[in-house]
Amino acid sequence: MILERIEELLKEVSQLSASNAEEIEALRLKYLSKKGEINALMQEFRNVAADQKKTVGMKINELKQTATERINALREQTAVADSGCDDLDLTRTPYPIELGTRHPLTIVRNEIIDIFQRMGFVLADGPEVEDDLHVFTKMNFAADHPARDMQDTFFVEQSATGDVTKNILLRSHTSSVQARVMETQQPPIRVICPGRVYRNEAITARAHCFFHQIEGLYIDKNVSFTDLKQVLLSFARELFGTDTKIRLRPSYFPFTEPSAEMDISCHICGGKGCGFCKHTGWVEILGCGMVDPNVLELCGIDSKVYSGYAFGLGVERITNLKYQVSDLRMFSENDVRFLREFEAAH
């Protein structure tokens, strides 16, 4: 009886058919599941006479293999039918969606970060919505300091008690990240702080209400202005070419003393003078200086033991110098025609 049943099932499974995944799953449950036909035969196999066990066992294995192969074949047929290959247009381009490109600001930002990381600087980050304490107060801006007027700030929330250190604002420079690093780390500190900043300025071809900065900070024992000059010279020559010259002009920043602005020799005219450098042969690219001892003390670092330097540059400014983009607004208008011009830049 069991051999006859096996033969019947062999004929059934060899002729199985299905048109979709649901029907195939139903066949699998009928024949191969724990409650299926083949498992029922395995239960009945226990009662088979000893002299027939070998023959019956081989037949059951043959049935199971045949059922498995047939169901797998049905799965493959259904998968091909569901793939929509019959509707495939072989005349279409293999890449119907154009690949995007990196934004020019991202290209330059990554290049600058790479240069300083190879000098030993590590990345540091902080919030864009900040408090006055970290943006101004710990950067040596007193509550009534006229230097606060240098930056027209976007305030999110102003303290009801008049305590300016509790005002909430959009950071106007990434120096706030330096303050947070100095609060939580002891020297030696060597970080760069890239990020977006905000200032309440009229949007023109030369200015915007938001832009991107990268600031650097190095604090250790016996750090000098010579160390700062050498790092900036190496950076300028790495970014603009080995023939690049630099000059440092005295300037003022509340958080550095002495302070300077750094110019590079115009890489367009080679320092001979052109319209881009206003015929001076020099182009200003960043501000820098030695960290004011007051800043170190406000952030919990002993200024009698440690000294340091800091610098900051605008990514848009450097991108303009490298690619001669005349209008800053192009960086934020998402015009794909403009962005396609930088396909070969990365």
Side-chain angles (χ1 to χ4, degrees):
M1 291 290 294
I2 189 169
L3 287 173
E4 292 176 2
R5 180 58 181 156
I6 293 172
E7 290 295 338
E8 290 176 2
L9 290 174
L10 275 169
K11 290 179 182 179
E12 281 186 27
V13 298
S14 63
Q15 298 174 3
L16 292 178
S17 62
S19 58
N20 54 53
E22 290 76 13
E23 292 180 1
I24 294 172
E25 179 61 14
L27 293 174
R28 186 193 69 80
L29 293 173
K30 178 179 179 180
Y31 294 101
L32 297 173
S33 67
K34 289 184 178 180
K35 296 182 179 180
E37 298 280 1
I38 295 175
N39 198 56
L41 290 174
M42 296 295 293
Q43 300 296 324
E44 191 176 342
F45 178 72
R46 300 173 184 175
N47 303 321
V48 174
D51 59 340
Q52 292 184 336
K53 278 188 179 293
K54 182 177 180 180
T55 302
V56 174
M58 291 175 64
K59 279 291 185 180
I60 292 176
N61 288 336
E62 180 186 352
L63 173 61
K64 185 174 182 180
Q65 183 176 351
T66 302
T68 303
E69 290 175 352
R70 182 57 185 164
I71 289 173
N72 288 339
L74 290 172
R75 281 202 184 101
E76 292 178 6
Q77 292 173 12
T78 305
V80 170
D82 292 343
S83 65
C85 290
D86 292 340
D87 300 327
L88 183 63
D89 182 1
L90 297 179
T91 64
R92 291 179 60 187
T93 172
Y95 302 104
I97 300 176
E98 292 185 22
L99 295 177
T101 63
R102 290 190 186 277
H103 194 281
L105 294 180
T106 302
I107 296 170
V108 174
R109 173 184 177 274
N110 291 345
E111 188 174 356
I112 294 171
I113 290 173
D114 179 65
I115 292 171
F116 283 113
Q117 282 185 324
R118 283 187 274 115
M119 294 183 189
F121 289 81
V122 297
L123 283 173
D125 195 13
E128 294 183 11
V129 180
E130 260 286 11
D131 54 40
D132 185 293
L133 179 67
H134 292 92
V135 175
F136 291 124
T137 304
K138 292 207 171 186
M139 288 291 107
N140 204 32
F141 291 78
D144 56 351
H145 200 298
R148 286 177 180 263
D149 296 332
M150 293 170 60
Q151 300 173 4
D152 201 353
T153 307
F154 285 110
F155 285 93
V156 176
E157 181 181 342
Q158 292 187 288
S159 172
T161 63
D163 183 356
V164 295
T165 63
K166 296 182 179 180
N167 290 341
I168 305 300
L169 48 98
L170 299 180
R171 66 184 181 190
S172 55
H173 51 192
T174 50
S175 300
S176 56
V177 182
Q178 298 181 23
R180 290 187 176 275
V181 169
M182 287 187 283
E183 277 183 341
T184 57
Q185 298 180 29
Q186 283 297 306
I189 295 172
R190 193 194 299 259
V191 295
I192 50 172
C193 316
R196 180 178 291 183
V197 298
Y198 305 83
R199 295 182 190 176
N200 188 13
E201 297 183 4
I203 299 175
T204 67
R206 299 178 60 84
H208 212 292
C209 62
F210 70 86
F211 53 98
H212 300 79
Q213 284 186 336
I214 295 180
E215 297 198 23
L217 174 70
Y218 177 44
I219 300 174
D220 204 347
K221 295 178 180 178
N222 304 315
V223 177
S224 68
F225 201 94
T226 302
D227 299 321
L228 169 62
K229 183 177 179 181
Q230 186 58 51
V231 163
L232 295 181
L233 176 61
S234 299
F235 162 70
R237 288 181 171 174
E238 186 83 13
L239 190 63
F240 294 104
T242 55
D243 294 332
T244 303
K245 299 179 177 64
I246 68 169
R247 71 176 184 183
L248 297 170
R249 295 177 288 103
S251 185
Y252 168 76
F253 303 108
F255 33 84
T256 54
E257 180 59 38
S259 302
E261 290 182 340
M262 190 182 90
D263 303 331
I264 62 167
S265 55
C266 181
H267 64 292
I268 296 174
C269 64
K272 296 178 181 179
C274 65
F276 190 80
C277 62
K278 299 179 181 178
H279 301 283
T280 65
W282 297 93
V283 181
E284 185 266 324
I285 66 166
L286 58 82
C288 60
M290 300 301 293
V291 179
D292 193 299
N294 288 338
V295 173
L296 296 176
E297 296 293 342
L298 286 168
C299 294
I301 295 175
D302 190 344
S303 62
K304 295 182 175 61
V305 177
Y306 297 102
S307 59
Y309 61 71
F311 57 85
L313 54 91
V315 179
E316 281 84 350
R317 177 67 169 165
I318 302 298
T319 307
N320 267 348
L321 293 175
K322 285 183 69 68
Y323 300 121
Q324 301 177 44
V325 179
S326 59
D327 192 334
L328 282 177
R329 292 170 293 192
M330 296 296 294
F331 292 131
S332 56
E333 289 182 350
N334 296 322
D335 188 330
V336 294
R337 296 169 299 177
F338 170 71
L339 298 177
R340 285 196 189 106
E341 296 179 14
F342 300 90
E343 288 181 351
H346 59 88

